[in-house]
Amino acid sequence: MSDAPGKLPSLNGLKVFEVAARHLNFRLAAEELGVTQGAVAQQIRGLEAELGVKLFERLPRMLALTGEGRGYIADIRRALEIIARATDGLKPQPVRLTISTTPSFASKWLIPRLPDFTARHPDLDLHILATDRMSNFQADGVDLAVRYGRPPFGPGLAVELLFEQEIVAVCSPMLMAGRAVPETADELAGYTLLHDAHNFWPEFIERHFGESRQASFKGISFNQTSHAIEAAIAGQGIVLANGDFVAQDIAEGRLVRIFAGSMSGPSDFYLVWPRYRKSPALQTVIAWISEEAGKGRERALA
């Protein structure tokens, strides 16, 4: 007994039949298929002749499926769907990797760079897990993490320095329009200070202005650095932020540095991943992130 299928009608004719049955209009079917209306009509006539049945009633203003046509189209659609699924199954599936980051790192550093990654590596799908919670590589299915802190981060983990934290003071150029850069703590008190959860302002003021106990500072606090940066872009005050987080905003004129000096943060940013994971896809992502961090350092030194 043979498993070979019986004689099949023209597969091209069946495709044209499915489109024409969906539109019940040869002109619309021709537009979808990118052929002439006459070519559609010819394919349908040939299929009807091959099958020995009439599939459409040609009415004055429209088409209608015959009883045979209605019964046939249901099976043909199922068969075409099976062929489409089988064909999709042959295509290589993208490799998916999950990166765990803080929300601020994701929004201010990683996401703006993703178009470059997807253009260079269309075969890799990235899932960004942005959370302040320390993700677990096994339980959360994380392949690579960006951690803010100091190593060691745990046994069995590989670590690579991404960039050191350099804290800079920035604000919208609108905020400084017609105003002088503050040179004392009292002058700085005339501005709204935008705080994030790290609250670097007391140390920054002490380092840059010395004694500041007499000054009274007004401020707005945010639990996410990215929100404080967005408030600064909107002209609501001055923010202390990682230089790498605001580099693009400075380059595009949304923010300006108001002091030449900077301050080193208490922790830095590291790439962390399990040592036993050595897939080519993971190494590609690590190399790309490291390359992007290197470009940021080069721009900062330029």
Side-chain angles (χ1 to χ4, degrees):
M1 178 176 168
S2 174
D3 291 332
K7 185 177 184 301
L8 296 175
S10 163
L11 293 180
N12 193 43
L14 293 177
K15 175 61 179 175
V16 172
F17 171 53
E18 190 282 324
V19 176
R22 189 157 20 92
H23 290 289
L24 292 177
N25 185 296
F26 284 169
R27 179 181 60 80
L28 295 178
E31 289 178 0
E32 178 176 330
L33 293 167
V35 298
T36 65
Q37 183 174 339
V40 170
Q42 183 178 359
Q43 286 284 347
I44 296 300
R45 285 195 299 270
L47 182 61
E48 288 176 328
E50 190 173 0
L51 297 174
V53 296
K54 194 175 181 181
L55 299 172
F56 290 101
E57 294 286 355
R58 278 72 166 175
L59 303 177
R61 296 180 180 271
M62 59 177 292
L63 296 173
L65 286 165
T66 63
E68 293 85 352
R70 286 194 298 272
Y72 195 46
I73 190 59
D75 289 334
I76 292 303
R77 281 180 177 148
R78 282 194 293 270
L80 291 175
E81 287 170 2
I82 290 171
I83 293 172
R85 285 198 301 270
T87 303
D88 286 341
L90 292 175
K91 299 176 182 177
Q93 298 301 309
V95 177
R96 174 169 164 153
L97 287 96
T98 297
I99 303 177
S100 171
T101 80
T102 63
S104 292
F105 182 90
S107 63
K108 299 306 298 180
W109 195 92
L110 183 58
I111 291 174
R113 291 168 167 81
L114 287 180
D116 172 75
F117 179 85
T118 54
R120 290 166 60 177
H121 305 287
D123 56 327
L124 298 179
D125 281 353
L126 296 184
H127 172 58
I128 311 303
L129 181 61
T131 175
D132 286 320
R133 179 179 62 85
M134 188 74 75
S135 298
N136 183 280
F137 286 98
Q138 280 72 38
D140 297 316
V142 172
D143 299 289
L144 178 67
V146 178
R147 296 274 170 83
Y148 173 70
R150 296 286 186 192
F153 293 103
L157 296 178
V159 177
E160 179 180 317
L161 176 66
L162 188 57
F163 50 73
E164 297 175 344
Q165 180 161 232
E166 178 194 16
I167 307 301
V168 297
V170 293
C171 68
S172 167
M174 297 183 297
L175 188 67
M176 298 303 297
R179 304 174 72 177
V181 173
E183 296 182 353
T184 66
D186 287 332
E187 291 178 1
L188 182 64
Y191 294 83
T192 298
L193 305 186
L194 305 174
H195 302 261
D196 62 10
H198 301 292
N199 193 25
F200 292 127
W201 272 115
E203 182 180 356
F204 189 91
I205 292 170
E206 185 69 27
R207 289 191 179 192
H208 283 76
F209 300 108
E211 182 63 42
S212 61
R213 293 180 183 175
Q214 301 302 317
S216 178
F217 300 99
K218 58 183 179 291
I220 306 173
S221 298
F222 301 86
N223 70 325
Q224 295 290 340
T225 302
S226 59
H227 297 164
I229 294 172
E230 292 304 317
I233 292 172
Q236 296 175 19
I238 304 171
V239 68
L240 292 179
N242 188 302
D244 289 272
F245 286 4
V246 295
Q248 186 171 350
D249 293 313
I250 293 172
E252 296 177 3
R254 290 185 291 272
L255 292 173
V256 293
R257 290 184 61 171
I258 62 170
F259 304 119
S262 63
M263 182 179 78
S264 297
S267 298
D268 299 315
F269 288 86
Y270 292 83
L271 290 177
V272 183
W273 67 96
R275 291 186 184 279
Y276 65 85
R277 295 188 187 173
K278 298 180 180 179
S279 71
L282 177 59
Q283 294 305 313
T284 295
V285 175
I286 291 171
W288 174 76
I289 293 179
S290 298
E291 177 186 343
E292 290 298 311
K295 290 178 182 177
R297 286 191 291 271
E298 291 172 3
R299 284 193 293 267
L301 294 172

